[in-house]
Amino acid sequence: TRQQRFREARVELEQALPRADDLPETHYFLGLCLMNDGEAERGRASVERALAINPKFGYGEPYLRLGDFHVGRKEPGLAVDRYRQATEIYGSSVEGWCKLGEALDALGRLDQARAALQEALTSYRTAPWYRRSDDRPWKRRAARLLRVAR
C-alpha cells in the first residue's frame, strides 16, 4: 500500500540523514514521509529544514506541500503565504496558482482569488506540451472554481 511505501522510505531516509544532513532533498523527502505517516508537525519541520538549507529548492514544490499542511489545519492565511512563495519561485505552477486561488477564496478575498485562478489558466495555456498532462487536473479545477467565483 501507499502508506507502507512511505514507512519504508522513511526508514531509509532516517538512516541516511546523518550522512546527508546538508542536503535539502533528504530533509524534504523525509518530511513528506512523516507528513503522510501521521507525524505532520515533524514532517513540516523537516520540510522547513530543507528550505533553510536552500530556499529555492524544488521549484517551489516544498512551499506547495507546506501550504497543503496549513490548509489541512484550517489555516488559510498561512497557506496563502506558502502558495505565494511557491508561485514566486515557479511562476508557471498551475497547481500553485490554483491552490493560491482556493486559499484566497477561503479568506473571502475574491478579487485576488479570481486573479490567481486566471493565472492558473494562463500558465496552463503557455505550458510546454510535456507539462500539460500533469497540470490538466489543476487547470480543470481552476476553471471550475473561476466559474463558481463569478
Side-chain angles (χ1 to χ4, degrees):
T1 67
R2 183 171 184 224
Q3 197 68 30
Q4 185 61 33
R5 291 172 57 199
F6 276 116
R7 284 198 183 105
E8 291 169 9
R10 174 184 172 177
V11 169
E12 296 292 326
L13 288 162
E14 286 174 334
Q15 289 174 355
L17 194 58
R19 296 183 310 280
D21 188 53
D22 58 337
L23 298 175
E25 292 88 348
T26 310
H27 291 281
Y28 174 63
F29 290 117
L30 176 58
L32 289 183
C33 290
L34 290 166
M35 287 175 157
N36 285 286
D37 197 24
E39 293 191 54
E41 191 55 47
R42 273 190 63 210
R44 183 203 56 77
S46 191
V47 173
E48 296 274 5
R49 173 81 176 110
L51 292 170
I53 296 168
N54 180 356
K56 295 196 184 286
F57 164 72
Y59 294 98
E61 177 85 14
Y63 292 107
L64 291 176
R65 299 309 137 236
L66 289 172
D68 297 346
F69 168 84
H70 290 298
V71 165
R73 298 222 165 182
K74 309 275 190 272
E75 302 168 335
L78 295 172
V80 163
D81 295 340
R82 293 312 192 163
Y83 293 141
R84 255 192 227 292
Q85 288 172 301
T87 57
E88 286 170 9
I89 290 172
Y90 182 53
S92 298
S93 172
V94 180
E95 177 184 0
W97 287 112
C98 181
K99 288 182 173 185
L100 176 59
E102 286 179 293
L104 287 165
D105 184 55
L107 290 173
R109 292 156 57 185
L110 298 181
D111 288 342
Q112 292 176 13
R114 283 196 273 297
L117 294 168
Q118 193 59 54
E119 190 61 43
L121 298 178
T122 301
S123 293
Y124 180 81
R125 279 194 298 275
T126 60
W129 64 270
Y130 55 86
R131 288 281 323 148
R132 296 233 175 143
S133 63
D134 290 341
D135 289 342
R136 193 168 293 119
W138 298 110
K139 187 243 342 172
R140 287 183 180 138
R141 190 169 174 170
R144 186 175 62 251
L145 290 167
L146 201 54
R147 279 193 301 272
V148 172
R150 289 182 188 238

